[in-house]
Amino acid sequence: MATTYRPPRLLIIPGLHDSGPAHWQSWLQSQFRDARRVQQRDFSQTELQRWADRIASTVDHAGPGEWLAVAHSFGTLALARYLDEHADTPIRQALLVAPAEPDKFGLAELLPQQRLRIPCTLIASQNDPWMTPHSAQRWARRWGASYSNLGRVGHINSESGFGPFPLAKRWVEVALARAAREQRPLHASFQEWSFAI
């Protein structure tokens, strides 16, 4: 008997001080019914391991199934740390938006220095106060992530005018479509298979 296909869920990973109601991450979360947000016990404390552990516990407590992760700022560092520690992660793809500079927190040595376990896209800005474009490109190359620079748009948050962020929604939609295509042979009906023979 064929199993019912369940598409990946959206995992929102905010940065320091969380992402408020006007932030594009909150807007993106509202676009997908089964999206889940990683809630830190204290969004003001830059304890990388604790943040990474919260990603793990959020995913574990949500039950089986795959995820698409969308992380912002310090949340991107927590996600990189989590991915480095979890070879069996159910996260299949990640969008890393406006990473925070690890050296600002003395955390560079705690982050993976090689390609991450899953396909990633890193989106940066030309004038982000939290990370230079040169550093963003260097981390993208190190992590094997595709890289995109949006120009002079600040930290890509609500303060720099990012409420709705259609580019992030489009990334999720493309990732969902890819996941569905890859799963199709697993849940194709007998009629579909007989047609293909």
Side-chain angles (χ1 to χ4, degrees), residues 4 16 29 36 46 78 82 88-89 95 99 103 107 110 119 121 133 136 147 164 181 196:
T4 303
L16 285 173
Q29 185 175 351
R36 182 79 54 102
T46 56
Y82 161 85
D88 58 344
T89 178
L95 180 64
D103 289 335
L107 297 173
L110 298 178
T121 298
Y147 174 77
R181 279 196 310 274

Side-chain angles (χ1 to χ4, degrees), residues 96-110:
L96 311 172
V97 180
E101 176 56 65
D103 289 335
K104 285 182 183 286
F105 308 98
L107 297 173
E109 71 282 355
L110 298 178

Side-chain angles (χ1 to χ4, degrees), residues 113-129:
Q113 305 296 316
Q114 69 286 331
R115 176 179 289 271
L116 297 177
R117 301 178 190 279
I118 61 172
C120 295
T121 298
L122 192 152
I123 296 179
S125 155
Q126 193 64 28
N127 62 337
D128 188 343

Side-chain angles (χ1 to χ4, degrees), residues 128-179:
D128 188 343
W130 284 95
M131 180 179 273
T132 66
H134 174 73
S135 185
Q137 197 162 21
R138 187 175 70 246
W139 281 103
R141 193 163 47 244
R142 187 173 290 164
W143 290 339
S146 61
Y147 174 77
S148 181
N149 185 317
L150 300 186
R152 299 184 65 80
V153 295
H155 190 46
I156 315 179
N157 58 4
S158 52
E159 285 77 11
S160 56
F162 286 83
F165 190 14
L167 182 64
K169 183 180 181 187
R170 180 66 183 144
W171 179 89
V172 174
E173 290 169 343
V174 169
L176 287 171
R178 183 182 297 115

